[in-house]
Amino acid sequence: MRRHVLTAASLVAAALGLAAVASDEHGKPVEHEWKTAPVAPLLQTREQAAAKSAGCMDCHRETDEPSMHASPAVVLGCTDCHGGDAAVRWTGPAVEETGDYADARDRAHVLPRFPDDWHWPASANPVRSYTLLNREAPEFIRFVNPSDYRVVREACGACHLKTILAAERSLMSTNAMFWGGAAYNNGLLPFKNYLLGEAYTRDGEAAILEGAPATAEDRAAHGILEKLYPLPLWQNLEPADIFRVFEDGGRNLSNLFAETGLPNVAGQVQRLEEPGRPDIRQSNRGEGTGARIAVPVLNIHKTRLNDPLAWYLGTNDQPGDYRSSGCSACHVVYANDRDPKHSGPYARFGHGGTTATRDPTIPRDRPGHPLAHAFSRAIPTSQCMVCHMHQPNMFMNTYLGYTMWDYEADAPSLWPKEQKYPSAAEARAVYDRNPEGAAARGLWGDIEFLKRVSGLNPSLKDTQFADYHGHGWNFRAIFKRDRKGNLLDAEGGVVANDDPDKFRKAVHLSSSHADAGMHCVDCHFAQDAHGNGHLYGEVAQAVEIDCKDCHGTVGAYPTLRTSGPAAGPTGSDLAVLRNPDGRLRFEWLDGRLIQRSILDPKREWEVSLVKDSVTPANARYNERAARAKLMSRDVKTLAWGTEVAPGDLAHADDSMECYACHTSWTTACGGCHLPIEANWKTGSHRYEGGTFRNWSSYNPQVAREEVFMLGRRGPTEGGKVAPVRSSSALVLSSTNSNRERIYVQQPPIAASGYSSQAMNPHYPHTERKTETKRCNDCHLSAAGDNNAILAQTLGLGTQFINLLGFHAWVGTAGGIAAVQVTEWEEPQAVIGSYLHRHAYPDWYRQHEARGQLLQHASMNGSGPARCLQHRGEYVYVAEGERGLVVYDAASIGNKGVSQKLIAAPFSPLGHDARVRMKDATCVALATTQPVHPARNQGDLMRVANLEQPFAAIYNYAVVTDAAEGLILVDINTLADGEFRNNFLERALTWNPGGLLAGARHVALGGNYAYVIADAGLVVVDLTDPLAPKAAAPVPLRDGRASALQFRYLFVTDAGGLRVVDVTHPMQPRLLPEAAVPLARAAGLFVSRTYAYVADGARGLAIVDIERPAQPGLIAHFDGGGAIQDARDVAVASTNASLFAYVADGAGGLKVVQLTAPDTQPNFYGFSPEPRPVLIARYPTPHPALALSRPLERDRAVDETGGQVAVFGRRGARPFNAAEMRRLYLDRDGLPWVVPDEW
Amino acid sequence: MSGETIRPAGVTARLLLAATASLCAHPALAADAPASHLGVASCASGVCHGVAKPVENASVLRNEYVTWSHFDPHAGAYRTLRGEESARMAARLGIADATREPLCLDCHAENVTAALRGPRFQLDDGVGCEACHGASERWIASHDDTPRVTHADNVAAGLVALERAEVRAGVCAGCHVGSAGRMAGHALMAAGHPRLTFELDTYSELWRTSGGREHYRRDDDYATRKAESGSVAVWLAGLVEAADRTLAIAGDERHSHGVFPDFALFNCYSCHRSMKLRRFRDAPGLAPGSVRVQDSALVMLAAVLDALEPARGAALRDATTRLHRAANEGMPALREAAAALRREMPALRVWAAGRRTADAERDAVLAAILGAAERGEFPDYSAAEQAAMAVTLLLTASGRTPDSDPRIGALFDDLRDDERYDPARFARILSRIR
């Protein structure tokens, strides 16, 4: 199959070459003489139509809606849509097992090219048919689904051509938001005006899509794209991520290609091995050849994430996955979910994909059949959830109050008692349905168990599960909780964790719209579903409905005209919409706006009107709503009310999305792991299909609900303030055909140079009336207890959902130790943890039997690593008199490489990443997320992509030297994919008047470096990194280390823990009352409302810093005396649990589980109180001194407004410094607070 | 309702605002048809008549449903019953719920029997598509299938041929005048129902362009498919229909109270006028103080016949006088007189339908009306209303008045308030038009 349509962009030119791919996973083709039936007519007489149904009805007898349409105005015969021969007649029973019957059937029906794959003559949608539709004869596709986009013009075009053209271009068909986002966020394509989208010709070939005509101004104003190109083949695209194996140069394993024209036939040149030079490169050919290819594109082709979308049938293999393709993907309802809130009136039909048709020929018990032969506009949310259940696919579980399960909640009920050891075949059978690596080991990998998961709810302790399981996944319910994680009822009262009725008493945080009985289609009407004919790359741009269209504003009642980004100049007229039962959808009755359910003719509700809620005399007046909506910008008086001029409103609807406040929770995909393996031969889900080696499982790691952040939307949505979510913060691994891990848990870098730990503004769809954001979610509380909350809201990160993955990076007195702390298998449970106990009971028992000793570590033998930072494939180490040394750790998981931590991969002549210093004491990077500022340059980034420039600090590693002061080293060459230029040099040495003598620790907060030196805390302004400025030192008693959280810097010194107010960093203010005396406070780590301080022999001091000005010691934890010399600590999450990693001096590494479902039932809280349990240890050969900070997965922006993480959506960004300050500082720079009772 | 740019809708609107602000309609023929009403939603699809904006190059505008929804007063007919004023009226009349009361629903909704309501039919849609166009069950699937299916075929299947004046007159007058068994009687009026005003041509045009949006467009294509009656013919058909229906009601026992017919059958201004007004008019053949039945259509018809067929005009006047006299005698006499007059109506209907609207004829009719006005033959408000609308439509039909003719405006301004109606002043204003 050729890709003849790909001509325009050099990008897609790369895809041209690939020849036909064997489709060996498909059955043998059987060719027929297919006759294309005439196009279904616009109009005809009933007699004419009847003639086209005559023979069909001999067997089918009766059906639900013969024309599929409820309207009697539509006159169609069977063959008008399906083709086939209605002249073939049958006088016997409807179903008969005879040759005559089969003969008549085969003459009447259109026959498939791939009868085995369709299970001909069975009529059910085959499971996971994917590209079968691209191979099959269009006449047969029309026969099984006349509304499939490949053939839809023939059946539906006479009446609905405009809608067809729009629907093919809608994001639900093109998938452009996912492909574009994935391409940009992973550095594949540098265009935020996306280029890629899915579409096919009638013959199933890849198609370029052109959008409806639009002016250049409209394109710019609305984000309208001109064209979408097919996804290139991953096999010959250059790699997106410049991991070390993808860098040019080096020698490689024996060539993958048949060589021609070489002087020696044995290909000896390629086999040349050079002594001492690790053989780890992917190819000796150019980019886009051999294994030097685009791995993210492989995932899009093969790993079941978003797919299939509307061009394909659903996978029809598990509850939540039953649907058709094309128009029928939505308009024909299948049985997917038994919960009436999700399925409305269809709930009673079960979730097994079986039919309730009147047609006697359709088996009642065979899944994959629609409920009825009828189109419906009464589309239940459960039908939408077939696709909208994955993070980059407009994650809509939130609407129903669910998010992805994390493998930990109620683990005892979902993991087998006996550890499973799935064979490759068993695992493959599960992964074909469900790409979660963990599923092969869990009980839910068994589809019969999966179907019954929601039946477990009455016996569950930690959560409740939804009744739909698209992709084979489990979805856990979100409940109202306080910040400590206590379950709350509607009045805010705490519901006891041991209350057997707790999940009925606690508020399930589904959208209040869902609670009112609304389904997706009750807000998103025809245009939102079909699109408007333009091509878009961003979901929000393609939405025409806006909150105010139905709810109005503080000053006006709703117009019932759509006004969202995709609305036309006058908007769509909601007042004339009619429901399937014929009633008006919206109607004003006596000043009340009534909306009637599309699904349930008996259900209607009154729409809340914003104006009423803020009008004091109105019966529906709500003071809290009025205060929030009518608050003035005057932060000194906090005056509010109807007298505030519209231009003075603090929360005006033209500058803020309604759901910035009306959001009860936001989903946070705080990370997922895509481990590619060369030895999984699997089928591609798109285009030509075919099977290839290489496949990746999909492993959500930290799916949380309490990560609320704000940022700004791009200009096409008015640049409004909106919630920001962490969206698919990927880490990638790759195992080659020799089972060598050629990279391990690497975060890619986005095309803009920002970290790929992606964020984006979004609409959480969790709006509620009571459980909204409160004043103190975004502004300083009078009680002074929301510093961590604000750090989260502003996107600064809270050091809670950090990734500390396969290895803990420990600095020891004798070099670095990379200690393996998790399993490699999925789930990557921390060894010895709660999850480990349930997912791997055998291995857990063995671990316990070994005295909790971890087994594997890689070490180098260099100087003392007193301070280190792991980032990407490098480890930055301050090694005293050896200076700053940057080690290449790319091969840390590679069994084929003996020395895994090396200073010079190519000899010191070709690579020198060591900067000599007198006494390097500490190194810090502005972010632990890999970034590459050099990519973020030029008009493409500034103008076309509307990216902000990087702050200059991101070019450097910041080093303290006890003798030399502050040293900056430009580290950009390590991220540029060029192996020949890695010669690091110092860019700045700065120590004016010996101010930084004895410098021993540095922490960075945006452009400010917080240096601990002999003089105490010295804040250094590095806005211009090569021209630093220092503030007057804050004296300390032998300061040791510091950690920053928003307005406060936590410092350890001889006296213990101290707190410095750094609201204005250059005017640091030690809070004399805020002190926690500790004997040997050393390294510390601040994670949300707790500070963890390494306190020597006493172990780990856990300090409550919810009110930073009044820190309070909660406890010391020494693991029953096991921790004897705590020097440093790092905190990170794995799945639903929080862990501390302790550098315990001579005791080596200690792993402490801080929360677990069995020790802390409040583990889903924003900051549950830690319940430390020692679970693992590794005795490093030299004393463990330090820990690398983990990957900060929720840090979108730094404290001075410098962007860190890539933001999806053109022009979207985190708050800049001025915007952040407006939330908590008045014009005089003084903090202002909101009353706690607000 | 503010259609100032459309004439005669604009000028007529002022009149309507004054007198009949919440006037509503009735689906005259619907209940008689055996086919089902499938409901507004059956027509409202975005691929049929529910397109947001008028479609060019199509036989119809295709946004008729949207226009109806937002601009057609018929769409709000049922909603009116939900209003506070309707509730008050219902209370006065001892009706529990106006929205369920057949008396109200018969004109404020498509109150067909349950058996004739399709699955998507909604009573609360008020006077919907099929109230006028007829039950769609038998033609909905085929009515757009041109050229295989002609307008005549559709009409044969139950589509109402509204382009024909006498058909439209029958549909509209069913509510706007009333009919035997279904009328806004004196009790309803007393409870607060507005007085009914009706003139078929004026109302047709007013409705066709309500809100400044066309319900249908009289373009070439329309003319090809439908031979629409001219405005004078429509006017005359309306007059005949109104007269006929008034007489039918007058002759119907159901609308009598003891010796009297329902008072609503009488000319309102026979009684409803200030006692300070001294406006005695010597009505030939009628004793002073006689109340006259509602005769505005008959008076207007007589004026037209005066111009074109004086003998028939005189006969109609005599018969009208006999009717008035009979009304003062009691029900049996009235029934008899009404029946006698009604017997003239078929012939008049035929006569009206056959009228050419040549300029000379129109001018003669106009002169006759103006003459009648000068003679004081429009002594009360309801007759003056008819005269004003008639004069306007005649001038419009002959193309002689610009849209914004201030004389027409003055005419309707004078009729703004029925309590301030002065026949002499009205005659003076009317005379300027001559």
Side-chain angles (χ1 to χ4, degrees), chain A residues 43 573 576 578 581 583, chain B residues 65 70 120 122 124-125 148:
Chain A
L43 295 157
D573 185 355
V576 299
R578 297 261 164 184
D581 67 347
R583 298 201 77 186
Chain B
Y65 162 66
H70 284 302
R120 298 203 281 171
Q122 299 297 338
D124 62 8
D125 274 330
R148 273 183 297 200

Side-chain angles (χ1 to χ4, degrees), chain B residues 228-239:
Chain B
E228 190 178 32
S229 306
S231 66
V232 172
V234 171
W235 169 52
L236 296 177
L239 291 175

Side-chain angles (χ1 to χ4, degrees), chain A residues 965 990-999 1011 1013-1020 1029-1033:
Chain A
W990 190 72
N991 189 14
L995 175 68
L996 299 176
V1011 180
D1014 291 344
L1017 168 69
V1018 182
V1019 185
V1020 182
K1029 295 189 276 279

Side-chain angles (χ1 to χ4, degrees), chain A residues 1111-1159:
Chain A
L1113 179 68
I1114 293 198
H1116 271 94
F1117 175 75
D1118 65 3
I1123 302 174
Q1124 298 185 341
D1125 185 19
R1127 307 284 191 96
D1128 199 7
V1129 56
V1131 174
S1133 287
T1134 299
N1135 296 84
S1137 294
L1138 194 65
F1139 296 88
Y1141 298 82
V1142 181
D1144 186 29
L1149 174 72
K1150 298 282 162 45
V1151 184
V1152 179
Q1153 180 148 18
L1154 293 174
T1155 63
D1158 59 346
T1159 60

Side-chain angles (χ1 to χ4, degrees), chain A residues 435-505:
Chain A
E436 286 172 303
R441 294 184 176 277
L443 292 171
W444 73 100
D446 171 2
I447 189 160
E448 293 308 316
F449 179 89
L450 185 71
K451 288 178 189 168
R452 298 191 305 267
V453 163
S454 66
L456 300 172
N457 285 341
S459 65
L460 299 182
K461 292 186 171 65
D462 299 330
T463 194
Q464 302 281 283
F465 289 108
D467 192 45
Y468 59 92
H469 300 279
H471 286 43
W473 296 350
N474 292 313
F475 300 96
R476 69 172 172 93
I478 304 299
F479 292 93
K480 182 179 182 179
R481 292 178 187 274
D482 63 16
R483 289 172 182 172
K484 297 273 184 209
N486 292 302
L487 284 171
L488 299 179
D489 63 21
E491 284 73 44
V494 171
V495 179
N497 280 309
D498 57 3
D499 185 332
D501 220 15
K502 63 180 177 179
F503 291 125
R504 264 195 291 279
K505 292 178 179 169

Side-chain angles (χ1 to χ4, degrees), chain A residues 20 273 304 320 337 407 481 606 738 890 980 1063 1162 1166 1195:
Chain A
E273 292 282 341
R304 192 179 173 207
D337 189 328
Y407 310 124
R481 292 178 187 274
E606 188 179 339
N738 291 336
R980 291 168 297 189
T1063 305
N1162 293 348
F1166 175 76
R1195 186 164 169 88

Side-chain angles (χ1 to χ4, degrees), chain A residues 299-471:
Chain A
N299 292 324
I300 298 175
H301 273 286
K302 298 177 74 181
T303 302
R304 192 179 173 207
L305 298 175
N306 277 21
D307 52 301
L309 296 192
W311 277 98
Y312 290 112
L313 297 167
T315 56
N316 292 288
D317 48 2
Q318 46 212 349
D321 267 330
Y322 295 105
R323 66 162 175 82
S324 187
S325 64
C327 312
S328 300
C330 304
H331 285 291
V332 175
V333 180
Y334 283 70
N336 274 306
D337 189 328
R338 295 170 295 185
D339 187 331
K341 198 161 168 179
H342 310 166
S343 296
Y346 308 104
R348 65 192 171 92
F349 297 112
H351 67 341
T354 52
T355 190
T357 181
R358 290 149 64 186
D359 186 332
T361 67
I362 308 296
R364 291 288 185 279
D365 55 350
R366 182 137 183 202
H369 286 111
L371 286 173
H373 183 264
F375 284 130
S376 180
R377 290 186 292 138
I379 302 164
T381 298
S382 56
Q383 186 100 351
C384 309
M385 289 309 303
V386 173
C387 294
H388 288 272
M389 36 60 71
H390 178 230
Q391 299 278 354
N393 196 21
M394 199 57 224
F395 191 72
M396 285 312 311
N397 302 285
T398 53
Y399 177 70
L400 300 175
Y402 296 93
T403 195
M404 296 177 78
W405 180 55
D406 44 45
Y407 310 124
E408 292 216 71
D410 287 301
S413 298
L414 284 110
W415 293 97
K417 295 280 173 280
E418 297 297 321
Q419 183 168 342
K420 259 201 217 176
Y421 297 91
S423 68
E426 287 166 344
R428 188 71 253 149
V430 175
Y431 296 157
D432 279 344
R433 265 194 305 111
N434 176 358
E436 286 172 303
R441 294 184 176 277
L443 292 171
W444 73 100
D446 171 2
I447 189 160
E448 293 308 316
F449 179 89
L450 185 71
K451 288 178 189 168
R452 298 191 305 267
V453 163
S454 66
L456 300 172
N457 285 341
S459 65
L460 299 182
K461 292 186 171 65
D462 299 330
T463 194
Q464 302 281 283
F465 289 108
D467 192 45
Y468 59 92
H469 300 279
H471 286 43

